Structure formats: C-alpha cells, structure tokens
Amino acid sequence: MICSPVFHILLSSHKPSTQKLYSSKWKTFVCWAKQSYMDPFSALMHSILEFLTLFFKEGANSSANKVHLSEMSNFHIRFEGSSVASAKLCRAFLRGTLLLRLPFKDPTLPWDLNLVLQALMHSPFEPAAKCELTFLTWKNVCLVAFTSARKISEMKALSSKPPYLIFHKDRIMLQTNASFFMNVVLESNINQSINLPIFFPKFTNKCEYMLHLLDVHRQLHFYLHRTKEIRKTDQLFVSLADLKLGKPVAKVTLARWLTHCISFIHNTLGLSLPKPVKAHSTRSMQLLQSF
C-alpha cells in the first residue's frame, strides 16, 4: 500500500490540467465498463478495443485514443507483462485509427499577419498615450504573441514587476512567474527568459518611425503606465471588465482579445476570414512568415 505522501508526489508528476484530463478519461471507461457489467481493472482486450471503437466512430482520432490507453495503463492489470498501451493489439489498433483518419492541416493561411501589423500602426491603436485602453491592450497582447511565439498559458504567467520584466536599452526581457511550469518540464525551460528586441528607438525617417510603433518595449511602457491606477496584481495583463477591473486576466480572455483583435482588423477593412481565428494560430503564423 502506497502511503499518502508518496501518492501525492506520484500524482504531482502530471500538471493539474493533465491530471484532470486523464482522470476524466478513466472515469468514462469505468462508467462504460460498469454498464457492461465488467470489472474496469481486469477488462478483456476485446472489451477495451470495443470501447475505443465507440469513441473512434464518434469522431475521436488516434491521439484521443492514446490518452484513453495511457490512463488505462495506470490502473488496468497487465497483459502478458505489457501495459494496456504497450499491448500488441492496442498498438495495432492505434495504427489503424491513424491510417483511417489521417490528420489534415489546411495549407490556407487563416489570416494576414502583415495586414494586422500594418493596422496596428494606425488608429484606433494609436496614439498609444490617448487611444482607448481596450485597443492598447489588444495591441500589446498581439505584439507579445507575435514576437515571442509563446502559448497563451505562458503569456498569462508573465509578470509586470522585476526581475520578471526588465527594460534594457536594446531589448526587453520577460519571464514567467515562479509558479508556472510548461507541459514538458526540463531544467532548461524552467523560468526561461523571453528576450524581445526593440525597433528603431532613434528613428530617422517615416518608415523607421512606423516600425517603431510596433516596438514591444515602447508599447509595454505605455500599457504599464496607463494601467497603473487600476492594477491590482503583478500579472502583466489585467482585466478590463467592470467587476474584475485590474485583476488577473484568465487564459480564455487573453485568447479572446487576440482573436477579436485580428477579426476586428479584417472586418474593419472589409475583408472576410477563410475560417475562424484561433489563438494558437498566431504561433504558426509568426514562424511561417518569419522566413
């Protein structure tokens, strides 16, 4: 019998979000097994594959079934010395679901990055000292997302205070707070610094001046100054909602600001989007158009 402290450490090997996801998958299998009058801890192989087939018919792909099998392996008895996920029939089943439902990536660009950057140089996003706080916030969220290519969860964990935010002469250094850790936890990526260069601080012509308007160093200075009076947290981005004004902003809100800004710019210019904008598309767009 595993004692409580050891059990707690073993559970901590997964992030809370991962624990929640895997736990829900196991509970789903347990409910299905009980309805079929079988023991979920010792279900036969054909029963496990039948369960996975039901989900496959409902639209689940190979990756989703991998999550099911991974969680089953933590609780189910082994098959001839192998875990459920490592069993030969299960591996063949996953291979079959992959070939029957190959993942497809649409090559069509979901939105125009250059167009968005051009729009961020003009009204209603400028002048930064006087524009609506909503547009200033949207612009800062977009620029941090575009220049850093980081996930929304990382952006939420950014801080507005040193040593997690430092304005250098030639760059700005951001760092996630100490409580944040990534999906893959390695010493090399724990509290990893995000260094973003500045754009033409001493511009000499109109072109350089316009590019300077996209400088994250400049924009965050304005953002921090204008949110100083309402700020109630060290988190970099704060809520603008009346009931949560100045409080930490949720990941879903950051994602909504990002997608709303991109959609707003396209709609204002009378351009239709080929498909709905998703927050994670900013990472692929930044990498695709950087070459």
Side-chain angles (χ1 to χ4, degrees), residues 72-280:
M72 287 181 194
S73 297
N74 291 330
F75 299 98
H76 199 281
I77 61 173
R78 300 174 75 84
F79 288 106
E80 298 179 354
S82 299
S83 66
V84 174
S86 300
K88 187 175 181 179
L89 281 176
C90 285
R91 287 189 283 111
F93 181 87
L94 288 177
R95 178 68 177 171
T97 58
L98 177 63
L99 295 176
L100 287 171
R101 192 169 291 157
L102 289 170
F104 171 75
K105 291 185 178 180
D106 191 345
T108 305
L109 294 178
W111 47 276
D112 192 328
L113 175 60
N114 290 325
L115 182 144
V116 171
L117 291 174
Q118 286 286 340
L120 291 176
M121 300 176 186
H122 302 89
S123 178
F125 302 98
E126 288 291 339
K130 297 180 180 179
C131 69
E132 288 186 26
L133 187 55
T134 297
F135 291 119
L136 179 64
T137 301
W138 285 7
K139 182 172 181 176
N140 274 271
V141 171
C142 282
L143 290 180
V144 171
F146 297 163
T147 55
S148 68
R150 298 301 174 117
K151 296 180 179 179
I152 292 294
S153 58
E154 293 177 77
M155 291 176 58
K156 178 186 180 299
L158 295 175
S159 174
S160 63
K161 300 289 186 181
Y164 302 103
L165 174 62
I166 300 177
F167 291 94
H168 295 283
K169 289 183 178 181
D170 60 341
R171 71 188 191 283
I172 180 173
M173 191 199 78
L174 302 100
Q175 200 173 59
T176 56
N177 60 53
S179 63
F180 174 80
F181 57 93
M182 302 177 71
N183 290 337
V184 179
V185 182
L186 300 172
E187 288 188 16
S188 58
N189 63 22
I190 294 177
N191 300 128
Q192 188 179 52
S193 297
I194 304 171
N195 290 285
L196 304 177
I198 60 175
F199 293 159
F200 301 102
K202 298 180 180 179
F203 48 85
T204 58
N205 53 56
K206 185 176 180 180
C207 180
E208 291 181 355
Y209 168 71
M210 296 303 291
L211 290 173
H212 179 62
L213 297 180
L214 299 177
D215 182 14
V216 182
H217 191 287
R218 169 188 182 269
Q219 289 299 319
L220 283 179
H221 261 304
F222 276 112
Y223 178 71
L224 292 174
H225 175 71
R226 293 189 58 185
T227 57
K228 184 178 179 180
E229 298 300 322
I230 66 170
R231 185 173 291 276
K232 300 172 184 176
T233 176
D234 287 347
Q235 185 175 308
L236 180 58
F237 296 111
V238 296
S239 176
L240 302 179
D242 291 338
L243 297 178
K244 299 179 180 178
L245 188 63
K247 293 183 179 180
V249 70
K251 287 189 296 184
V252 65
T253 303
L254 274 177
R256 186 174 67 249
W257 285 345
L258 191 56
T259 57
H260 278 195
C261 184
I262 295 169
S263 298
F264 170 80
I265 289 172
H266 282 77
N267 293 335
T268 300
L269 296 174
L271 300 173
S272 59
L273 292 163
K275 53 187 175 182
V277 180
K278 295 183 179 180
H280 68 261

Side-chain angles (χ1 to χ4, degrees), residues 3-36:
C3 63
S4 295
V6 175
F7 187 69
H8 173 71
I9 293 174
L10 291 174
L11 281 178
S12 299
S13 63
H14 292 300
K15 293 178 64 175
S17 58
T18 306
Q19 293 177 31
K20 185 177 180 180
L21 172 64
Y22 278 41
S23 177
S24 67
K25 299 296 184 184
W26 172 248
K27 287 178 180 178
T28 301
F29 176 66
V30 170
C31 290
W32 179 84
K34 288 183 177 179
Q35 291 174 359
S36 303

Side-chain angles (χ1 to χ4, degrees), residues 23-76:
S23 177
S24 67
K25 299 296 184 184
W26 172 248
K27 287 178 180 178
T28 301
F29 176 66
V30 170
C31 290
W32 179 84
K34 288 183 177 179
Q35 291 174 359
S36 303
Y37 303 101
M38 68 179 69
D39 180 9
F41 297 94
S42 58
L44 298 176
M45 177 60 72
H46 72 82
S47 297
I48 292 175
L49 296 180
E50 180 183 345
F51 168 77
L52 295 176
T53 301
L54 290 174
F55 277 89
F56 180 72
K57 289 180 177 180
E58 291 177 2
N61 56 20
S62 179
S63 297
N65 278 326
K66 279 183 181 179
V67 176
H68 276 292
L69 287 173
S70 178
E71 187 61 7
M72 287 181 194
S73 297
N74 291 330
F75 299 98
H76 199 281

